[in-house]
Amino acid sequence: RVEQGTIQCDSLGRPDHDYVWLESDREFGDFELKLKFQVFTNSPGNSGVQFRSRYDTNAENGGWLDGPQVDIHPPRAMCWRTGLIYDETRGERRWVSPSLPDSKMPPRFKPERFVFKYADDGDGWNELILRCEGNRVRTIVNGIPRTDWDGTGVLDNEAHVRHNVGRVG
């Protein structure tokens, strides 16, 4: 729903909710997205910005959204994951920036300096900037560069080409 010019997607306390996606029928390749978002300290899971992605309604279990995702991770202990890139593409399904073999994110990737705000702590607006130029993907979270990744060999690999994602979506 939209309240006072803000899009709200609230699934807290709704165990039967499934995914909440805001989608566009337009395709994007090279672009810059500036997003302001709020989260709450009691948000139990993660969210993210899927980019250059595509939903496959024919996939098993009711469908699948292939493509990379910039993580937005509210739980305090791991909020520093925000701005890192996980790839949902079938055939990848792993962290790609940093490059890891699966979905586990070791604490050694926690940066020395990171700023993350919560709505219930006062001024809880965060800003995420996502820039995609060719195979290069950059993220900035609250003014701090978080990811500068050359996705050559990943965004243009066989899995991404097969699902028509990675470079456009």
Side-chain angles (χ1 to χ4, degrees):
R1 69 180 183 275
V2 177
E3 260 184 43
Q4 299 177 350
T6 301
I7 299 169
Q8 293 194 1
C9 300
D10 182 3
S11 60
L12 291 176
R14 298 177 188 172
D16 62 338
H17 82 276
D18 208 351
Y19 303 107
V20 177
W21 287 324
L22 303 174
E23 299 178 37
S24 172
D25 290 332
R26 292 179 53 202
E27 292 222 352
F28 297 91
D30 292 352
F31 65 91
E32 177 176 279
L33 171 71
K34 292 182 180 179
L35 171 71
K36 288 193 174 187
F37 66 94
Q38 281 188 319
V39 297
F40 296 87
T41 55
N42 63 340
S43 298
N46 76 323
S47 186
V49 177
Q50 296 276 156
F51 62 96
R52 296 176 172 176
S53 298
R54 198 170 308 281
Y55 188 74
D56 179 359
T57 57
N58 296 318
E60 292 180 24
N61 301 320
W64 190 259
L65 186 60
D66 291 294
Q69 169 185 285
V70 176
D71 203 40
I72 296 175
H73 202 81
R76 282 195 194 267
M78 297 285 278
C79 67
W80 53 267
R81 284 179 18 171
T82 301
L84 300 180
I85 301 172
Y86 186 83
D87 196 337
E88 297 282 357
T89 305
R90 289 167 286 177
E92 271 318 309
R93 301 201 56 202
R94 66 182 184 89
W95 288 101
V96 293
S97 183
S99 181
L100 297 170
D102 54 33
S103 63
K104 294 179 182 72
M105 176 56 65
R108 73 176 184 269
F109 291 101
K110 182 177 181 178
E112 287 184 29
R113 184 171 160 251
F114 188 74
V115 175
F116 196 78
K117 303 171 188 175
Y118 292 90
D120 28 6
D121 287 344
D123 179 26
W125 285 100
N126 295 281
E127 181 180 66
L128 170 69
I129 299 173
L130 167 63
R131 291 187 185 119
C132 294
E133 303 167 73
N135 286 327
R136 186 174 182 197
V137 179
R138 292 178 286 170
T139 65
I140 301 168
V141 178
N142 294 325
I144 300 171
R146 192 68 184 107
T147 296
D148 189 347
W149 176 58
D150 179 357
T152 301
V154 176
L155 295 177
D156 53 1
N157 70 13
E158 188 273 329
H160 289 84
V161 170
R162 181 171 12 111
H163 296 293
N164 195 21
V165 297
R167 294 291 309 254
V168 297

